Amino acid sequence: MSTDTKKSPGILHWLDENFENIFLVSGLLAIIFFITWQVIYRYFITPLVERAGAAVWTEEISRYIFIWISYIAVSVAIRKRSSIRIDFVYQMLPPRLQRISWIFVELIFLMLTLTITYYGWGQIERLQRFPQHTAAMRIPFLIPYLILPLGFGLMSLRLVQSMIKQIKVTGVLDSIIGAVVAVAVMSPCVLAEYIDPVPALFGYFLIFCVTGVPIAIGLGMSALTTILCADTLPIEYLAQVSFTSLDSFPTMAIPFFIAAGVFMGAGGLSQRLLGLADELVGGMYGGMALTTVATCMFFGAISGSGPATVAAIGALTIPAMEERGYSKTFAAAIVAAAGAIGVMIPPSNPFVVYGIAAQVSIGDLFIGGIVPGVLTGAVLMGYSYYAARKNNWRGSARTRTVGTVTRAVWDAKWALLVPVIVLGGIYGGLMTPTEAAAVASFYGLIVGVFIYRELDFRKVCACCVEACETSAVIIVLMAMATLFGNIMTIEDVPGTIARAILGFTSSKIAILLIINVLLLIVGVFMEALAAIVILVPILLPIVTGVGVSPLHFGIIMVVNLAIGFLTPPVGVNLFVASGISGTRIEQIAKASLPMIALMIVVLLLITYIPAIPLCLVGGAG
């Protein structure tokens, strides 16, 4: 009896800690295998087997599993409090107000999840009364739609658990204060008979952003409050769009590319890339700094993420630069700056998000990012060489020959094949970007487990959870931005802003300068992906009105917002580099100022000379 009593809490605790992880690991691996099988089936099975047909079921079931694991992963993000939010106001608050703010934030979050849970169950009841089936597998739509009440219900449970823990830390009185503030903020949309939708939409969004509510939740809650204030849309629409906005094959490229980068970082590919870069440029002045930039460019062509690039490469190169006498602040700053190249060189998650938001070819955006990424890498290398000569930071003194370079290339061959697989598959017409991303994930998994043997079962599970959690934060942001954007469209907000700016000036040069300054300011306070999903519907009509192609503007926007990875208070690359190096963010930010200036020069070149970024895509635009 006593033994069972001791064991039972252990099992329950394990389930509580790992419940979501079971679904995330099995779900992510399943969709990677399904989409990889889709490609294999198309090119190897269909030509050999008569009447084999098409494997249409793989895409359909993968989309629905993708929606399920995306929303389940949000529960993991809730527990870890890992979300995209503007927290510079939070950072300035005294500890007591910080604790109170968490009660406010999580209560606002809970209001949204409970609302979607309730109306999600309404969708289930309608599908019970009027059954519908999926096109390929004839699955009742009720099954995929169950994620709305179950997924958002699980989020609600995790939020309640988190609030209970926070109340113990904050205290009952202060927790009541936080709850009263939340009720007070929400009361106008319930008590007022009517509030104009545009002030309600943007007013509430501003309040939620400033108070540290995750941006995705701020978008969803400001849409909900506007619906309550002005009856802009049926409230049931929130649940419907929460599902349909993710039911998209191109959107699945995001978790696949993130998974590929995570698998390859944990699987040892980053170390091989570092060895190759060291052989190529490590012997020059500033050799390790040059190696860092080159490796970030290589790794950017795998991960598609700035912070992931800084984490994977910085952990190896910052200590190595310190050993060679480099300033610790310079070492951290050059890694943070070079990490921004990770979102320019394809594959790039911001390009995927922009392509979906603006309906532009993701493949063309990838190609358009190559030259800006290489240019940025070149100017950062030039600055590294200059700083090294000035401070007498020499490269590692050892013999480098054709033989040593060849060996380094051979050691890194599996990593170097990734861009060939992704870009070759896309531009060879063999795979869509989503299929190429899935194949890259599968490839990274196989290399890490069976070739380098640095991924065991536990590490694979951890990589899957990390990839799902990271991508879910982005994907939920896109879903809530769809709600926000639909209300903006109904109220003609983008058109009104476009007409106002074009009425002020019709100069293409002036408008691009204004937009670049705006984006640089936005990048200081807002994460790049959030800025893209919010601003694309507003800015795209303006730039197309003066003859800038959506493709060219996408490249401008991503390169501009990449600079935001280096600018506090939301410069995520700075946070990662600070954590690795143990250096204060202010010191790293100060050391990165010349690098930011050089990156702005590159931005101006690609803005006003379209032939530079578009030269590899036939000069389109």
Side-chain angles (χ1 to χ4, degrees), residues 17 20-21 24 69-85 102 105-106 109 154-155 158-159 162 214 216-217 465-476:
E17 292 290 321
E20 292 95 341
N21 296 355
L24 299 184
I69 63 175
S70 294
Y71 282 131
I72 290 173
V74 177
S75 296
V76 178
I78 288 170
R79 297 181 61 185
K80 296 182 180 179
R81 288 182 171 173
S82 58
S83 59
I84 298 172
R85 71 189 200 123
W102 275 112
V105 166
E106 292 184 331
F109 199 158
L154 181 60
M155 291 181 215
R158 294 305 189 191
L159 282 165
S162 181
I217 306 310
V465 173
E466 180 185 346
C468 289
E469 180 191 348
T470 304
S471 63
V473 172
I474 301 167
I475 291 158
V476 173

Side-chain angles (χ1 to χ4, degrees), residues 256-330:
F256 288 150
F257 279 131
I258 291 173
V262 173
F263 287 147
M264 293 175 194
L269 277 76
S270 55
Q271 292 177 336
R272 274 78 177 182
L273 290 172
L274 179 63
L276 173 59
D278 188 38
E279 285 297 329
L280 294 175
V281 296
M284 302 171 64
Y285 266 105
M288 186 50 65
L290 299 176
T291 299
T292 297
V293 177
T295 309
C296 285
M297 293 170 72
F298 281 132
F299 195 79
I302 292 174
S303 72
S305 166
T309 301
V310 176
I313 307 306
L316 300 172
T317 60
I318 291 175
M321 280 190 273
E322 284 188 70
E323 287 176 11
R324 289 165 173 78
Y326 288 72
S327 156
K328 185 186 285 190
T329 53
F330 173 85

